């Protein structure tokens, strides 16, 4: 299967398992490669974050991954347009701690597929847990523009600290 054939039908998304081939993963960013190889399973065992991978059925190669954890955004860091409706205490969020795609699938839309899977997963758990939005720390301006293309906006503490309300995500998925 070539990169142009990637779709939700050909790729499955599931929780990282011990048997997955983490050693051969290379996204071109050392920090993200080291995380999946050394820390993702450890963080899962400690309930610090859960890593989900994209792979082909019946395989253990990793096409991409993302990690979710709970978090909060301080009221004073929220985007100005949301402040009027928010309580003056930390806002509960799901944090996308890492998101990376293997170089072998560069240009295939894998990053978007990973983010859409994360959105769907977060929407499902939002029925059981108070979540106002999703937060991410973009690694650089390129990553920032990727997230902004999906509706993320800057938080007020750092231009690479980004936020999207769950209401916006829910509306996008229902429309």
């Amino acid at each position: 299967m070539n990169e142009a054939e990637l779709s939700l039908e050909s790729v499955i998304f599931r929780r990282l398992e011990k048997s997955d081939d983490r050693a051969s993963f290379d996204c071109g960013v050392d920090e993200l490669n080291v995380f999946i190889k050394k820390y993702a399973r450890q963080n899962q065992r400690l309930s610090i974050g859960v890593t989900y991978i994209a792979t082909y059925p019946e395989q253990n190669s990793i096409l991409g991954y993302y990690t979710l954890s709970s978090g909060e955004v301080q009221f004073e860091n929220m985007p100005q347009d949301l402040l009027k409706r928010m309580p003056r205490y930390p806002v509960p969020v799901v944090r996308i701690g890492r998101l990376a795609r293997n170089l072998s699938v560069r240009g295939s839309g894998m990053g978007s597929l990973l983010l859409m899977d994360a959105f769907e997963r977060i929407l499902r758990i939002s029925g059981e847990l108070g979540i106002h939005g999703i937060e991410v720390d973009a690694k650089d301006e390129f990553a920032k523009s990727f997230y902004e293309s999906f509706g993320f906006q800057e938080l007020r503490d750092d231009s690479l600290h980004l936020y999207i309300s769950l209401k916006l995500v829910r509306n996008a998925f229902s429309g």
Side-chain angles (χ1 to χ4, degrees):
M1 178 169 297
N2 69 38
E3 296 148 10
E5 294 173 338
L6 276 178
S7 70
L8 286 176
E9 291 79 38
S10 62
V11 173
I12 61 168
F13 298 88
R14 62 171 172 76
R15 190 176 174 135
L16 178 68
E17 298 172 358
K18 186 176 184 177
S19 62
D20 290 320
D21 178 16
R22 293 171 285 146
S24 66
F25 183 83
D26 183 10
C27 67
V29 178
D30 287 340
E31 179 183 350
L32 296 172
N33 291 337
V34 168
F35 175 79
I36 191 71
K37 293 172 184 178
K38 292 187 175 184
Y39 301 111
R41 290 263 311 133
Q42 179 180 341
N43 284 356
Q44 268 182 199
R45 282 193 305 275
L46 297 172
S47 296
I48 292 170
V50 177
T51 299
Y52 296 91
I53 67 164
T55 188
Y56 294 119
E58 313 288 327
Q59 292 189 13
N60 67 351
S61 61
I62 299 173
L63 303 172
Y65 76 90
Y66 64 88
T67 300
L68 299 179
S69 61
S70 62
E72 63 182 30
V73 172
Q74 298 301 313
F75 169 80
E76 58 272 8
N77 293 336
M78 292 296 292
Q80 186 68 39
D81 62 324
L82 297 177
L83 288 179
K84 289 179 250 169
R85 299 170 288 202
M86 299 303 300
R88 298 197 181 281
Y89 46 81
V91 177
V93 298
V94 170
R95 178 175 183 72
I96 299 176
R98 309 274 191 298
L99 187 147
R101 50 97 186 103
N102 201 309
L103 288 173
S104 68
V105 293
R106 176 184 255 163
S108 67
M110 178 52 69
S112 297
L113 292 175
L114 288 162
L115 188 58
M116 291 301 103
D117 188 72
F119 283 169
E120 288 177 19
R121 202 171 296 278
I122 293 165
L123 285 171
R124 282 195 302 272
I125 62 175
S126 72
E128 305 290 325
L129 181 66
I131 301 167
H132 185 271
I134 303 166
E135 136 189 71
V136 66
D137 285 311
K139 295 288 178 213
D140 53 32
E141 289 296 325
F142 179 78
K144 178 183 178 181
S145 67
F146 168 77
Y147 288 111
E148 286 178 332
S149 73
F150 290 93
F152 281 82
Q153 55 186 324
E154 285 183 20
L155 288 168
R156 296 169 10 155
D157 62 335
D158 182 339
S159 66
L160 295 178
H161 191 194
L162 306 174
Y163 181 88
I164 188 170
S165 74
L166 204 58
K167 181 180 179 181
L168 185 62
V169 173
R170 189 174 287 112
N171 288 344
F173 273 81
S174 66

